Amino acid sequence: MAIPHAASGELINITPLGERVRDTVSSTLIRAEHFEVFRLVLPAGKSTQEHRAAGLITIQCLEGIVELDAHGQAQTLTPGTLVYLADAEPHAVTAIEDASLLITMLLHRA
C-alpha cells in the first residue's frame, strides 16, 4: 500500500510539534519525481549517520537544537535557521534537544 503524500495545492501543517515531538515519527510530506520534502524528527542525543543526498538539499530547523556536521565543520541549527547543502555533500545531524527539521531535496533520480 502506498504511503499518502500531499497533492498539488494541498495545505501541509509544519508547525512545531511541541510536546508531541518525542511521539512523532519522521515522515515524507511531498514526493515527486525530482522533488521531495520530509519532516525529520530526532529525539535528543540521536544522530543520523553521515550520508550524501542524491541532489541538493535544504535543512530548516522547525524546533529544538541540532548540530550539523558538513563541509568539515559543525554548525548549530536553532528554530528559524536554514542551511543549503550542495549535491552529494557528506553530512550528519545530531539532536542536542528534541528536534524536528524540514528537509527539502531537489533530486536527480534516473
Side-chain angles (χ1 to χ4, degrees), residues 31-36 107-110:
R31 176 173 251 157
E33 184 177 0
H34 297 286
F35 180 69
E36 195 168 303
L107 303 166
H108 51 80
R109 293 182 177 143

Side-chain angles (χ1 to χ4, degrees), residues 12-18 20 39 62-63 100:
I12 303 169
N13 183 347
I14 61 164
T15 56
L17 298 165
R20 297 175 297 135
R39 184 193 293 249
L62 300 175
E63 64 189 311
S100 67

Side-chain angles (χ1 to χ4, degrees), residues 8-88:
S8 179
E10 183 179 344
L11 295 178
I12 303 169
N13 183 347
I14 61 164
T15 56
L17 298 165
E19 292 182 11
R20 297 175 297 135
V21 71
R22 281 206 163 258
D23 301 322
T24 302
V25 296
S26 299
S27 61
T28 300
L29 306 173
I30 302 166
R31 176 173 251 157
E33 184 177 0
H34 297 286
F35 180 69
E36 195 168 303
V37 178
F38 62 96
R39 184 193 293 249
L40 176 64
V41 179
L42 286 173
K46 294 291 182 177
S47 300
T48 64
Q49 292 185 349
E50 183 176 85
H51 59 285
R52 300 169 189 254
L56 63 88
I57 68 171
T58 63
I59 303 171
Q60 178 181 355
C61 184
L62 300 175
E63 64 189 311
I65 299 173
V66 299
E67 182 175 279
L68 170 69
D69 291 312
H71 292 282
Q73 66 178 350
Q75 297 183 83
T76 302
L77 279 74
T78 57
T81 58
L82 173 87
V83 65
Y84 153 74
L85 297 177
D87 183 13

